[in-house]
Amino acid sequence: MSGEEYIGRADDSLDATYEAPMSLAEYVDTVLETPGIAAHASKYMLAAIEAAGTRTVIEEGEEKERYRFFDDPYNDGEHAILGNTEVLNAFVDDLRSIAAGRGKDEKIVWLEGPTATGKSELKRCLINGLREYSKTPEGRRYTVEWNVAGAGGSDSALTYGDAPVEDEDDWYESPVQVHPLTVFPADVRTDLLAEINERLDDHIDIHVDGELDPFSREAYDYLEEQYRRQGTEDLFSAVTDPAHLRVKNFVVDVGHGIGVLHSEDEGTPKERLVGSWMHGMLRELDSRGRKNPQAFSYDGVLSQGNGLLTVVEDAAQHADLLQKLLNVPDESRVKLDKGIGMDVDTQLVIISNPDLEAQLNQHADREGQDPLKALKRRLDKHEFTYLTNLSLEAQLLRRELTNETTVWDPDSWEELETWIQEPVTVSVRDDVASATDKELAPHTIEAAALYAVASRLDASNVPNGLDLVDKALLFDRGYLMEGDERIDIDDYDLETTDHDGDHGIPVTYVRDVVADLLHETQDRHHPDLPVEHVIMPRDVLNAVAEGMGDAPVFSAAEATEYEERVVPVKNHIFGEQERDVLDAMMRDKRVDEATVEEYIEHVYAWASDDQIENERGEYVDPDPLKMKVFEIEHLGRFDEENYDDNDPDEAVEAFRTDKIITALNRHAWQRRDEEFRVGDVSPKEIPVIKTVLGSHDWDDVKRTFEDFDPRQWDEPPSGTETARLKQMTIENMVDMHGYSEAAAELTSRHVMNQVSYRWD
């Protein structure tokens, strides 16, 4: 596009964001047509969150509905909060109760958790989401601005009706985004809100309980007094005439509807909460002997957040302030000065690490005499924890190491598993002038993420026969495969405990370890291979485990505990690498889908003792020889001893009935449509078929490649079967699983080194 076209797009964007100022009457007509735009703070936040929709996720092995708002969709996911869906849903439930006035009006929402759990991301996500929602037609946010130019001169200078607006510089916006409906007298506003609420589509009524802010009240009172002196009959119409008052929309942002108190902010409690007086400022309105509300800096966190959201970040640094906030939620009022108060409509949210709780409990032993008891009663705590899902931790680690921001939203576990295991390329700058692409080999991100998750899981409730890796996989996908059987998490009676995710290896520590490895230049693998730019899973696992003793973030006991948990992770990752190598070696021996379908048709015919009609309209008679050949050569489940000529023994019959027929029927039932008809079911989608056909073992390799010797893998003699098989395997690993040649070489060497010990 040309420069003018980009300018045109920018014009369109701003034109869609802002509206021309309107009169108070026009605003009321707009609200009656679109009631939601007049929502109070908590209701508006709820609407913004719900407007983004939901999606289904699996966390801790359970399906949950997650609000997409927390995926930071308006910002391409840059500040998405990964995991903690139950905590976020509870936060939204609180908003719903507060908005509806169901007993939680006086509550201050408290979000607590250790570092690197997503609390700061929540703050950014709220700011981004509310800002972008306020740019949409259904999310418009409005306030008022005043013009009293000429009112201080002769009475004849003060007019209304068709009086022109001579200078835009004479308009002053409410410094605290006061709600336009606060201009109306209380009795009129009550009737107006009743009509507005009748037109709402939901059950949560809009309430606007506050009065005009001091700045606006000063203008209103002054105009009212001037017109009253003139004997004007319709005082309200005169004061709110478009020449003096107009309603304008604004884009929500920090300072405009959102107040954020950072840990480094200083000042007296009054200054941090509402702002400060600015001595010597020109006073443009008569303040009748009081401090002029115009001579006030409305930069306190409550002033900036009036109308929407107030966030106290790192609340432990502002513990002295929390007690000053006690009555703000239920009274919705603060004092600027002894004679000047200000109504506020804001949702209070405080964010802290666990150290705030220690401060709040410092007098707990005094029981009924605890001076902080009233504050603690008002705090509604929601605890963020470390991620306990492998896929979420893998996604988070990739975000920490790359510029990726897209939130993963897969259609199936298989797709998600591919993303978890795939390699990652990171550009590392060696000096000012050059950069090098370095590869995290397949399964490297998976290994680091799995180790971090395993360190966070409660080992006390791991079912018999399973380990922490199995628990991590159950939490992530909701099931395990035990042989041919899919066992769901409910069958293991496994539930989340209070200790899952409350401590463990932080993602920031793992990130730093991987970053250090990426900046190393020496070859850690083999002197004859130019592979110094490849980081392998075992490199990361060893570095993470070995560095804990010197890392100040871990106590000695934690370091010892976490180091012991690396073994099952190494075993699992080796199994994944071994599977990749076997798949690549046996690629040409895979069974095509037509052969699988033919076998299943014959098994169905065998089970019914008669011919059957397949989907192609052909009649199939059970062929004992075809079934026998498939079961011996392709499945590898049986040998000649299991058959009397071509007649199967009890083991084969049980396999056909239990593993094929029953599994197929169950899968078909799960895929039925609303009329209970079975749709197209691919045999390879059935777990049992996928398991027995999608995996091979070393006995298959021995049977297929009789002259293969894994001990020759590193440097196989030319012309041997081992050399030919290695070349084919490396090529297939690159093609099938996304390995680079160097990573495929290193991975296959590692696997063959272990296999050679047990080959004979």
Side-chain angles (χ1 to χ4, degrees), residues 390 443-457 467-473 505 510 536-542 544-545 548 561-578 750:
L390 167 61
H443 304 291
T444 301
I445 291 290
E446 177 189 16
L450 184 58
Y451 188 18
V453 168
S455 75
R456 302 167 185 169
L457 296 177
D467 58 23
L468 286 171
V469 168
D470 295 321
K471 181 175 178 178
L473 295 176
I505 301 174
V510 179
M536 298 295 291
R538 61 186 183 276
D539 298 329
V540 173
L541 293 176
N542 289 336
V544 170
M548 288 183 193
E561 178 188 357
Y562 301 156
E563 287 169 8
E564 294 173 351
R565 297 191 179 192
V566 74
V567 175
V569 177
K570 285 185 173 181
N571 293 338
H572 175 78
I573 296 301
F574 176 79
E576 298 290 293
Q577 294 173 312
E578 185 179 33
H750 178 54

Side-chain angles (χ1 to χ4, degrees), residues 304-479:
Q304 295 183 351
N306 185 46
L308 197 50
L309 172 66
T310 297
V311 179
V312 179
E313 189 180 45
D314 197 5
Q317 301 297 320
H318 297 286
D320 64 320
L321 205 64
L322 297 182
Q323 292 192 70
K324 304 290 185 182
L325 292 171
L326 277 181
N327 296 322
V328 171
D330 45 354
E331 294 184 2
S332 300
R333 188 171 180 83
V334 292
K335 281 189 175 182
L336 305 182
D337 189 57
K338 292 180 180 179
I340 305 175
M342 180 174 74
D343 291 318
V344 291
D345 173 29
T346 188
Q347 179 54 54
L348 274 167
V349 175
I350 68 170
I351 299 173
S352 79
N353 291 328
D355 50 354
L356 175 61
E357 187 159 19
Q359 293 187 47
L360 294 175
N361 289 330
Q362 59 182 308
H363 304 297
D365 56 344
R366 296 169 60 178
E367 299 179 352
Q369 302 301 316
D370 185 352
L372 298 176
K373 188 175 182 179
L375 172 60
K376 289 190 284 186
R377 183 181 65 81
R378 280 176 169 81
L379 294 174
D380 199 2
K381 180 181 174 183
H382 300 285
E383 189 172 1
F384 275 68
T385 61
Y386 287 121
L387 298 177
T388 55
N389 276 56
L390 167 61
S391 56
L392 292 172
E393 186 70 14
Q395 184 178 177
L396 179 59
L397 185 56
R398 286 183 63 144
R399 283 168 164 263
E400 292 286 331
L401 293 168
T402 69
N403 292 323
E404 296 178 10
T405 60
T406 302
V407 176
W408 292 355
D409 189 9
D411 295 325
S412 64
W413 163 254
E414 287 73 22
E415 184 178 18
L416 183 59
E417 187 176 39
T418 299
W419 296 343
I420 295 170
Q421 297 175 351
E422 66 186 4
V424 174
T425 300
V426 181
S427 181
V428 178
R429 186 162 294 281
D430 300 320
D431 52 43
V432 176
S434 63
T436 303
D437 285 342
K438 300 200 175 183
E439 177 190 0
L440 297 171
H443 304 291
T444 301
I445 291 290
E446 177 189 16
L450 184 58
Y451 188 18
V453 168
S455 75
R456 302 167 185 169
L457 296 177
D458 185 355
S460 67
N461 71 332
V462 177
N464 291 334
L466 304 184
D467 58 23
L468 286 171
V469 168
D470 295 321
K471 181 175 178 178
L473 295 176
L474 281 170
F475 273 7
D476 207 36
R477 63 191 184 195
Y479 67 90

Side-chain angles (χ1 to χ4, degrees), residues 351 422 525 585 618 677 723:
I351 299 173
E422 66 186 4
H525 306 290
M585 295 178 77
E618 304 167 342
R677 295 176 306 193

Side-chain angles (χ1 to χ4, degrees), residues 218-230:
E218 194 82 10
Y220 184 100
D221 289 347
Y222 179 77
L223 290 167
E224 182 185 44
E225 182 178 357
Q226 295 299 316
Y227 280 112
R228 182 174 53 79
R229 287 179 177 178
Q230 290 186 13

